[in-house]
Amino acid sequence: MATEIPPDLSEVVTPGSSGQISSFCPQSWRSLHQNVVERRKLITMLASRVPGSFQFRTQTTPNDTKTRLYFLGVTCKGRENTLLYVDLPSVVPDMPSVLSQRSMLESFPASIPTSQLSREEQLMRERKRMGTYGITSYELTEWDGRFVFPASNSLFSCVDVDLTSTEPVYPVNIGTSVEGARLDPKVCPTNSKILAFINKGDIWVSNQDNGEEVRLTFTKKGSGNLEEEPLSAGVPSFVVQEEFDRYTGYWWSPAPLPNKDDDVTDHAPFYCMLYEEVDEGEVEILNIFSPSVEGKNVDQYRYPRAGTPNARSFLKLVKFSLDNHGKFDQVQHYHLYEPLLTFFPDLEYIVRAGWTPDAKHVYAELLDRQQKHLSLVLIPVDFFVPVRSFADEEMNVDLVRGSVPSLSVIYEERSDIWVNTHDILHILPHSEPSEIKFLWASEKSGFRHLYCVTSKLESCDKAICAMDLLQETQDGQFKANVIKEEMLTSGDWEVNGKQLWVDEERGVVYFMGLKDSVLETHLYAVSYVKPSEPVRLTTLGYSHTVSFSSDYLSFVSVYSSVSETMSCYVYRILHEDGTIRTKTWGIIMLPIVCPDYSAPELFQYESQSGFIHHGLFFHPHGEQAGQKYPTVLMVYGGPQVQQVTNSFKGIRFLRHHALASNGYAVVVIDGRGSCGRGLKFESHIKDRLGTVEIEDQVEGLQFLSSMGFCVDMDRVGIHGWSYGGYLSLLGIAQRPDVFKVGIAGAPVVNWLLYDTGYTERYLNVPSQNQTGYRNGSVLSHVEKFPDE
């Protein structure tokens, strides 16, 4: 669609000129490249040293109380993430100062190149959208200061014993006998010496005291053949990771379980974990050819295209104990007395799972294929039975009849649009054993808000068998029995669905939300005992990302705006006379002032659709009054993403800054279908992807032109990745009168070839929406593409 210009041509099409080739501010390919390199250096410098993954640890002595704040960051001389910390003042000062950052580690090997990581690690980095290197995550056990973290294709451990010492500690490589990567490492919450990890699709545990390793699950046989080995343990399916943001498939019990085996004299408590076993036997295998030095290799992947079978998931338990010598002992496996599908015939995805705080139940969030019905299910631990009970295939059902506690559905979500999954669930203390009380988030009002819910538990003292349970399900017993539901927040704004923090001692829940501005994420507090208007605890004019201490009396905020780079402050929460306020405890990072940085301009307009639309405008560098400039619309335009916020986006918007620095006007618009604005705004694309989004983008360009912005409507290009790449192709097909060139990165050209979890949420299954799939396919519009 464009004529290639020889690289030795000294002059190219010049932004700001009225003709194709101009002597006005001529640029060679070399100067263009140098400009991009310099812009990359600038943006990287402004964004590369932002700390993250904060954790507080407090140590009390007879004379003092020390609080240390750990985080991942880059040292002044480093290029990769490492473990850093600051020591907070014993008393919150009236005039806070910048705290001294120290490296916690004595020495550490440089991380290996991404190309040398295992395929599992590379795929996980892609699904998590990870762009950092070095130490990318860590676990800290607060009571003993033990750290475990993956790096350089291995696992490391260290202990920060004394908070009065500033001497760095030396990380120890946790040895192993397994081959390949140890993924998703997790420290046992009740014994920091026990570590679990995933290796080649199975769960292992190791004891750091004696170096012993034990394989707990045996789904893989070692052939490496996808067709022969469809099972895995502790690893979610591709769709659950990619489309439901769950990257783990096993969960430690928060408390040891009692040992009820009368044959055991020691009665050592059981350590236990819930895990997901995934069967991908019916999922299609794709053969992907990839070039190599030797020729062509074939990579195989399980990929469920829209309308094809998904992986099947099963919840199981594995228990073990430690003998007197610290060796793993009494490994026992358990599965559900009856499969969940028996009681929930429309079950397609287990989107969330975990334990209640007392370790007496596990919970699971079950979603149907159309993603319109979600059940929050509570499963008693005793509903899991030893695998050996089912060794005899001809066993009569009467032999397993007995006192089996019942499942309970404690909440249900139903929607005519779709149910957006979230991470908001907190089980609260409750004195009535036949009930459960919890915090939950729902979009039933049209916007995601917090609720305090009390539900009735099913009776656990009756003898039942599989057929009894099935009959009771058909009779409607397995429906949510909600006793009380109290709305804690309300209004035409959204609560963030990623995290909340609950101070049970004071009856306060802290959450992130968009109450004050759809462009700014702030921290709020509200009582769930006596609900009232939420209190904002962060500063207006910025977007904030927050991390809390375990006592909920301190938090860290990393915040920025479009015109100001990241700051990082530590705050103390003060409760006085029934009010909540904050006081600055210390400063970790101040914004970088850079005269070479040109911030974009936020704009908004009332759309013909009746909504207020928001956008970003990057002025071309060197802009002259009254002159029009070639314009690039940088588009995403799809669900689950909000591009326009009052925050510094750094490397993510590098292309935008590079184009503007070369004399182009750059525009970003969040149209209908993007997130953060409630279900009505988001669901405008339901059943019709690709048919309405471009009109919102064009309307935004026309608004800017009418308001005197330097947009040249005769020279507009469209560029995007993923959904933005898809819309870039549709843009030049649907509106060639507006878009003269399109650059599509990783576009979806046919929704029949995209995965089930995403596509069916917005388009339904292909058999029930053939028109939507046909109209939304780029292949249906190829005849409209320009031929020059």
Side-chain angles (χ1 to χ4, degrees):
M1 288 181 285
T3 302
E4 184 177 355
I5 302 175
D8 58 347
L9 187 64
S10 61
E11 294 184 351
V12 297
V13 178
T14 304
S17 63
S18 58
Q20 290 296 313
I21 302 291
S22 172
S23 59
F24 174 78
C25 190
Q27 299 181 70
S28 66
W29 287 113
R30 183 170 297 172
S31 66
L32 284 169
H33 178 264
Q34 183 61 31
N35 190 306
V36 172
V37 170
E38 292 175 355
R39 193 56 38 183
R40 184 181 185 89
K41 287 181 179 178
L42 172 65
I43 300 300
T44 301
M45 181 272 293
L46 294 176
S48 64
R49 302 189 181 278
V50 180
S53 301
F54 298 92
Q55 290 208 54
F56 291 82
R57 181 168 173 244
T58 298
Q59 193 174 72
T60 301
T61 66
N63 300 321
D64 200 2
T65 297
K66 296 286 186 181
T67 300
R68 183 164 285 182
L69 176 61
Y70 305 94
F71 53 93
L72 295 179
V74 182
T75 62
C76 59
K77 296 181 180 180
R79 300 180 62 183
E80 297 180 339
N81 266 4
T82 187
L83 270 169
L84 304 174
Y85 71 88
V86 295
D87 285 323
L88 294 162
S90 298
V91 178
V92 180
D94 293 328
M95 296 292 292
S97 59
V98 178
L99 303 172
S100 177
Q101 298 184 27
R102 295 185 175 92
S103 178
M104 204 188 82
L105 304 179
E106 174 68 35
S107 62
F108 197 73
S111 64
I112 64 174
T114 305
S115 59
Q116 295 181 22
L117 296 175
S118 66
R119 187 175 74 165
E120 293 90 346
E121 290 174 287
Q122 293 182 42
L123 291 173
M124 183 62 72
R125 286 182 63 88
E126 290 178 12
R127 290 167 194 162
K128 290 185 175 182
R129 294 359 182 218
M130 291 175 61
T132 57
Y133 297 92
I135 302 174
T136 56
S137 64
Y138 69 94
E139 275 204 75
L140 166 63
T141 310
E142 279 194 50
W143 73 81
D144 63 359
R146 180 176 295 275
F147 291 80
V148 171
F149 54 90
S152 301
N153 229 6
S154 189
L155 293 178
F156 294 84
S157 177
C158 62
V159 181
D160 191 16
V161 178
D162 185 3
L163 297 192
T164 63
S165 172
T166 58
E167 292 297 319
V169 298
Y170 189 81
V172 177
N173 192 328
I174 302 174
T176 182
S177 60
V178 304
E179 295 181 359
R182 288 173 286 173
L183 302 176
D184 195 17
K186 294 181 186 179
V187 177
C188 176
T190 57
N191 185 342
S192 65
K193 302 293 184 66
I194 301 177
L195 175 69
F197 59 87
I198 304 295
N199 176 250
K200 297 180 179 179
D202 275 303
I203 304 173
W204 292 67
V205 286
S206 69
N207 189 335
Q208 296 181 63
D209 265 346
N210 56 22
E212 183 191 16
E213 283 181 326
V214 169
R215 182 178 177 181
L216 294 181
T217 61
F218 296 85
T219 61
K220 299 295 185 184
K221 304 297 186 291
S223 71
N225 187 306
L226 284 184
E227 191 169 355
E228 295 177 0
E229 299 189 4
L231 299 180
S232 63
V235 182
S237 67
F238 164 80
V239 165
V240 169
Q241 293 184 50
E242 180 74 10
E243 308 303 352
F244 298 104
D245 297 331
R246 174 164 68 81
Y247 303 103
T248 189
Y250 74 101
W251 303 266
W252 280 107
S253 166
L257 301 185
N259 193 330
K260 302 177 181 179
D261 192 342
D262 293 334
D263 296 331
V264 179
T265 57
D266 192 7
H267 289 286
F270 274 116
Y271 299 97
C272 183
M273 62 177 72
L274 168 73
Y275 71 93
E276 177 186 31
E277 184 176 276
V278 174
D279 183 353
E280 296 184 294
E282 296 183 12
V283 179
E284 182 181 7
I285 297 177
L286 298 183
N287 296 299
I288 308 295
F289 290 91
S290 57
S292 68
V293 177
E294 294 79 14
K296 284 191 172 181
N297 288 335
V298 178
D299 284 334
Q300 289 190 320
Y301 298 89
R302 296 273 189 180
Y303 191 84
R305 296 178 293 112
T308 67
N310 275 309
R312 296 183 298 163
S313 292
F314 307 91
L315 292 181
K316 298 187 174 185
L317 294 181
V318 58
K319 300 179 184 178
F320 62 88
S321 63
L322 295 181
D323 65 16
N324 293 333
H325 303 288
K327 291 186 175 295
F328 295 106
D329 192 23
Q330 302 182 83
V331 177
Q332 298 181 18
H333 292 266
Y334 297 76
H335 58 186
L336 290 171
Y337 178 79
E338 274 290 318
L340 290 173
L341 201 60
T342 301
F343 317 112
F344 306 96
D346 64 355
L347 165 63
E348 189 73 20
Y349 306 104
I350 300 177
V351 291
R352 297 291 184 270
W355 293 82
T356 58
D358 60 7
K360 294 181 179 179
H361 298 79
V362 300
Y363 68 84
E365 297 178 24
L366 313 179
L367 191 63
D368 70 328
R369 178 126 191 181
Q370 292 188 330
Q371 302 181 46
K372 294 182 177 181
H373 178 207
L374 183 143
S375 298
L376 176 57
V377 180
L378 208 62
I379 308 171
V381 170
D382 288 344
F383 198 82
F384 291 86
V385 294
V387 172
R388 63 176 180 268
S389 296
F390 290 81
D392 185 356
E393 296 181 0
E394 299 180 356
M395 177 179 54
N396 188 289
V397 70
D398 291 332
L399 298 180
V400 295
R401 185 184 299 270
S403 294
V404 178
S406 178
L407 305 175
S408 296
V409 178
I410 59 175
Y411 203 83
E412 284 185 285
E413 289 279 353
R414 293 184 182 273
S415 173
D416 293 332
I417 300 169
W418 56 69
V419 176
N420 285 314
T421 56
H422 55 74
D423 296 319
I424 305 299
L425 173 63
H426 183 88
I427 310 297
L428 292 167
H430 195 54
S431 57
E432 177 54 59
S434 64
E435 299 174 356
I436 186 170
K437 187 176 183 180
F438 56 96
L439 300 177
W440 178 255
S442 172
E443 291 179 291
K444 63 172 64 179
S445 70
F447 293 84
R448 184 186 297 113
H449 282 293
L450 296 180
Y451 293 79
C452 185
V453 182
T454 304
S455 292
K456 185 76 174 176
L457 298 180
E458 297 297 335
S459 175
C460 296
D461 58 356
K462 55 186 176 182
I464 52 179
C465 71
M467 296 306 296
D468 296 332
L469 287 172
L470 181 59
Q471 183 61 46
E472 290 175 359
T473 303
Q474 293 169 343
D475 291 341
Q477 176 178 336
F478 287 93
K479 302 291 182 182
N481 190 353
V482 176
I483 301 171
K484 182 180 180 182
E485 184 175 8
E486 190 167 18
M487 199 172 188
L488 304 182
T489 63
S490 61
D492 293 347
W493 56 275
E494 284 207 345
V495 169
N496 186 289
K498 291 297 182 184
Q499 195 172 13
L500 82 166
W501 304 268
V502 182
D503 184 346
E504 295 178 355
E505 181 179 341
R506 298 168 184 84
V508 175
V509 55
Y510 299 94
F511 65 93
M512 305 301 292
L514 302 171
K515 184 178 186 297
D516 286 271
S517 170
V518 70
L519 304 181
E520 296 177 4
T521 305
H522 287 281
L523 174 67
Y524 298 89
V526 66
S527 170
Y528 61 82
V529 178
K530 297 180 179 179
S532 59
E533 189 70 11
V535 177
R536 177 176 44 79
L537 299 177
T538 47
T539 307
L540 287 173
Y542 304 90
S543 289
H544 297 256
T545 301
V546 165
S547 300
F548 260 85
S549 61
S550 58
D551 62 3
Y552 309 106
L553 293 176
S554 312
F555 70 91
V556 183
S557 177
V558 177
Y559 60 92
S560 67
S561 68
V562 291
S563 57
E564 189 173 296
T565 62
M566 279 74 169
S567 297
C568 182
Y569 277 58
V570 187
Y571 298 92
R572 192 72 172 169
I573 295 178
L574 305 176
H575 297 264
E576 298 172 343
D577 301 325
T579 63
I580 302 175
R581 67 181 182 90
T582 63
K583 188 174 182 180
T584 304
W585 197 354
I587 304 168
I588 296 178
M589 181 181 182
L590 292 170
I592 300 174
V593 179
C594 180
D596 294 330
Y597 172 67
S598 297
E601 178 182 346
L602 288 164
F603 68 89
Q604 68 179 49
Y605 63 95
E606 186 171 354
S607 168
Q608 294 179 4
S609 65
F611 291 100
I612 299 295
H613 286 190
H614 297 271
L616 285 168
F617 186 79
F618 294 74
H619 290 269
H621 295 197
E623 178 183 354
Q624 298 180 17
Q627 190 165 336
K628 299 293 185 181
Y629 289 80
T631 302
V632 179
L633 176 72
M634 301 293 282
V635 65
Y636 182 82
Q640 302 182 54
V641 172
Q642 182 182 8
Q643 286 194 302
V644 182
T645 59
N646 186 23
S647 61
F648 178 76
K649 294 179 175 60
I651 297 297
R652 284 183 295 165
F653 275 21
L654 174 63
R655 285 185 178 87
H656 308 55
H657 291 290
L659 285 165
S661 70
N662 276 292
Y664 294 87
V666 180
V667 180
V668 182
I669 297 167
D670 279 342
R672 288 168 294 175
S674 57
C675 69
R677 303 287 301 277
L679 270 178
K680 183 178 180 181
F681 188 85
E682 185 182 21
S683 65
H684 195 75
I685 59 174
K686 176 177 168 56
D687 293 336
R688 52 178 182 170
L689 295 181
T691 61
V692 296
E693 299 92 323
I694 290 298
E695 292 309 310
D696 281 358
Q697 302 293 320
V698 171
E699 184 183 8
L701 289 169
Q702 293 170 339
F703 164 80
L704 290 171
S705 179
S706 69
M707 295 301 293
F709 284 78
C710 60
V711 171
D712 188 342
M713 290 299 292
D714 292 327
R715 291 184 291 169
V716 179
I718 183 171
H719 175 33
W721 279 83
S722 189
Y723 203 95
Y726 165 66
L727 291 185
S728 296
L729 294 176
L730 289 180
I732 58 174
Q734 295 175 358
R735 294 302 301 267
D737 58 317
V738 175
F739 301 110
K740 301 304 186 290
V741 63
I743 307 171
V748 179
V749 297
N750 184 352
W751 289 110
L752 289 171
L753 303 178
Y754 207 60
D755 73 57
T756 53
Y758 185 96
T759 311
E760 294 171 3
R761 181 186 307 145
Y762 306 117
L763 283 178
N764 206 332
V765 293
S767 61
Q768 297 184 29
N769 186 19
Q770 295 180 18
T771 301
Y773 277 84
R774 182 174 59 254
N775 293 341
S777 171
V778 173
L779 302 182
S780 298
H781 302 271
V782 291
E783 73 282 354
K784 302 175 187 176
F785 285 161
D787 55 7
E788 293 182 356

